[in-house]
Amino acid sequence: MSWQAYVDDHLLCDIDGNGNSLTAAAIVGHDGNVWAQNSSFPQFKNEEIIAIMKEFDEPGSLAPTGLYVGGTKYMVIQGEAGAVIRGKKGSGGITVKKTGQALIFGIYDEPVTPGQCNIVVERLGDYLIEQGL
Protein backbone atom coordinates (compact mmCIF):
# COMPACT_ATOMS: atom_id res chain seq x y z
CA MET A 1 0.00 0.00 0.00
CA SER A 2 1.31 3.48 -0.82
CA TRP A 3 1.80 6.05 1.92
CA GLN A 4 -0.79 8.24 0.22
CA ALA A 5 -3.34 5.42 0.57
CA TYR A 6 -2.69 5.33 4.32
CA VAL A 7 -3.47 9.06 4.48
CA ASP A 8 -6.51 8.87 2.20
CA ASP A 9 -8.03 5.61 3.46
CA HIS A 10 -7.05 5.48 7.12
CA LEU A 11 -6.54 9.07 8.31
CA LEU A 12 -9.15 10.88 6.18
CA CYS A 13 -11.81 8.18 6.60
CA ASP A 14 -15.44 8.81 7.59
CA ILE A 15 -15.18 8.83 11.40
CA ASP A 16 -18.76 8.73 12.63
CA GLY A 17 -20.86 7.59 9.67
CA ASN A 18 -21.98 11.18 9.04
CA GLY A 19 -19.26 12.04 6.56
CA ASN A 20 -17.08 13.81 9.14
CA SER A 21 -13.34 13.35 8.84
CA LEU A 22 -10.08 14.97 9.84
CA THR A 23 -9.42 18.37 8.23
CA ALA A 24 -5.84 17.52 7.29
CA ALA A 25 -3.43 14.61 7.69
CA ALA A 26 0.13 13.65 6.83
CA ILE A 27 2.83 11.07 7.36
CA VAL A 28 6.24 12.68 7.73
CA GLY A 29 9.63 11.04 8.27
CA HIS A 30 11.60 11.88 11.41
CA ASP A 31 13.88 13.92 9.12
CA GLY A 32 11.00 16.17 8.02
CA ASN A 33 10.51 14.62 4.57
CA VAL A 34 6.82 14.28 3.69
CA TRP A 35 5.87 10.70 2.83
CA ALA A 36 2.23 11.57 2.09
CA GLN A 37 -0.31 14.29 2.87
CA ASN A 38 -3.62 15.66 1.75
CA SER A 39 -3.83 18.98 -0.07
CA SER A 40 -5.04 20.93 2.98
CA PHE A 41 -2.16 19.88 5.24
CA PRO A 42 -0.19 23.04 6.08
CA GLN A 43 3.27 23.67 4.66
CA PHE A 44 5.35 23.27 7.81
CA LYS A 45 8.81 24.60 8.55
CA ASN A 46 11.74 22.29 9.26
CA GLU A 47 12.26 23.88 12.69
CA GLU A 48 8.68 22.90 13.60
CA ILE A 49 9.52 19.21 12.97
CA ILE A 50 12.76 19.60 14.95
CA ALA A 51 10.76 21.03 17.89
CA ILE A 52 8.22 18.18 17.67
CA MET A 53 11.00 15.58 17.64
CA LYS A 54 12.57 17.31 20.67
CA GLU A 55 9.23 17.09 22.51
CA PHE A 56 9.23 13.32 22.02
CA ASP A 57 12.77 13.12 23.47
CA GLU A 58 12.20 15.75 26.17
CA PRO A 59 8.48 15.78 27.11
CA GLY A 60 7.37 19.23 28.21
CA SER A 61 9.74 21.16 25.95
CA LEU A 62 6.83 22.52 23.83
CA ALA A 63 4.61 23.49 26.75
CA PRO A 64 6.06 27.03 27.18
CA THR A 65 6.02 27.93 23.48
CA GLY A 66 3.22 25.81 22.04
CA LEU A 67 3.18 23.34 19.18
CA TYR A 68 3.52 24.94 15.75
CA VAL A 69 2.58 23.30 12.46
CA GLY A 70 2.55 25.49 9.35
CA GLY A 71 2.79 28.58 11.53
CA THR A 72 -0.40 27.70 13.42
CA LYS A 73 0.06 27.56 17.18
CA TYR A 74 -1.60 24.82 19.23
CA MET A 75 -1.68 24.75 23.01
CA VAL A 76 -0.05 21.48 24.10
CA ILE A 77 -2.42 19.34 26.16
CA GLN A 78 -2.07 15.95 27.83
CA GLY A 79 -0.45 13.34 25.60
CA GLU A 80 1.70 10.28 26.11
CA ALA A 81 5.34 11.09 26.83
CA GLY A 82 7.56 9.92 23.99
CA ALA A 83 4.63 8.59 21.94
CA VAL A 84 1.81 11.11 21.35
CA ILE A 85 1.56 14.91 21.35
CA ARG A 86 -1.88 16.51 21.46
CA GLY A 87 -2.66 20.15 20.83
CA LYS A 88 -5.75 22.35 20.97
CA LYS A 89 -6.69 25.52 19.09
CA GLY A 90 -10.19 26.88 19.49
CA SER A 91 -12.72 24.18 18.61
CA GLY A 92 -10.10 22.12 16.79
CA GLY A 93 -6.73 20.60 17.39
CA ILE A 94 -3.98 18.21 16.39
CA THR A 95 -2.68 14.77 17.29
CA VAL A 96 0.87 13.65 16.45
CA LYS A 97 1.85 9.99 16.91
CA LYS A 98 5.49 8.92 16.69
CA THR A 99 6.39 5.57 15.14
CA GLY A 100 9.85 4.11 14.66
CA GLN A 101 10.41 6.01 11.41
CA ALA A 102 7.59 8.53 10.99
CA LEU A 103 5.26 11.08 12.55
CA ILE A 104 1.54 10.64 11.91
CA PHE A 105 -0.35 13.98 11.92
CA GLY A 106 -4.09 14.49 12.20
CA ILE A 107 -5.71 17.94 12.33
CA TYR A 108 -9.40 18.33 13.15
CA ASP A 109 -12.17 20.89 13.57
CA GLU A 110 -15.69 20.51 14.95
CA PRO A 111 -17.77 18.41 14.72
CA VAL A 112 -14.87 15.94 14.97
CA THR A 113 -13.89 15.56 18.63
CA PRO A 114 -10.39 15.33 20.11
CA GLY A 115 -11.04 11.71 21.07
CA GLN A 116 -12.06 10.78 17.53
CA CYS A 117 -8.90 12.35 16.11
CA ASN A 118 -6.76 10.57 18.72
CA ILE A 119 -8.28 7.19 17.84
CA VAL A 120 -7.79 7.60 14.07
CA VAL A 121 -4.19 8.83 14.32
CA GLU A 122 -3.05 6.52 17.11
CA ARG A 123 -4.64 3.41 15.58
CA LEU A 124 -2.66 3.92 12.36
CA GLY A 125 0.48 4.74 14.33
CA ASP A 126 0.15 1.58 16.42
CA TYR A 127 -0.35 -0.49 13.25
CA LEU A 128 2.78 0.99 11.65
CA ILE A 129 4.78 0.32 14.84
CA GLU A 130 3.61 -3.31 14.72
CA GLN A 131 4.86 -3.44 11.11
CA GLY A 132 8.29 -2.19 12.18
CA LEU A 133 7.79 1.24 10.67
Side-chain angles (χ1 to χ4, degrees):
M1 181 180 292
S2 75
W3 291 114
Q4 192 62 49
Y6 280 110
V7 170
D8 296 341
D9 300 342
H10 297 281
L11 294 175
L12 298 173
C13 58
D14 181 345
I15 292 174
D16 55 10
N18 293 322
N20 296 318
S21 65
L22 299 179
T23 308
I27 301 173
V28 178
H30 289 179
D31 59 3
N33 285 325
V34 176
W35 295 5
Q37 66 183 15
N38 73 322
S39 61
S40 62
F41 192 79
Q43 180 63 45
F44 57 84
K45 299 179 180 94
N46 205 39
E47 58 265 21
E48 294 172 339
I49 298 298
I50 292 168
I52 289 168
M53 290 301 293
K54 181 179 179 186
E55 173 69 19
F56 283 117
D57 294 334
E58 301 172 26
S61 65
L62 285 179
T65 59
L67 164 66
Y68 284 88
V69 176
T72 299
K73 180 180 179 179
Y74 297 89
M75 180 179 68
V76 178
I77 56 176
Q78 174 267 334
E80 296 171 31
V84 179
I85 302 169
R86 298 183 182 112
K88 187 95 173 110
K89 178 177 173 47
S91 61
I94 188 169
T95 302
V96 185
K97 170 78 174 181
K98 182 182 179 193
T99 72
Q101 298 177 26
L103 301 172
I104 315 299
F105 288 85
I107 299 174
Y108 67 93
D109 283 306
E110 285 186 333
V112 174
T113 67
Q116 289 171 320
C117 180
N118 295 341
I119 289 169
V120 169
V121 171
E122 293 175 39
R123 185 181 295 149
L124 178 59
D126 290 340
Y127 171 77
L128 293 177
I129 290 169
E130 288 170 12
Q131 303 305 307
L133 301 167

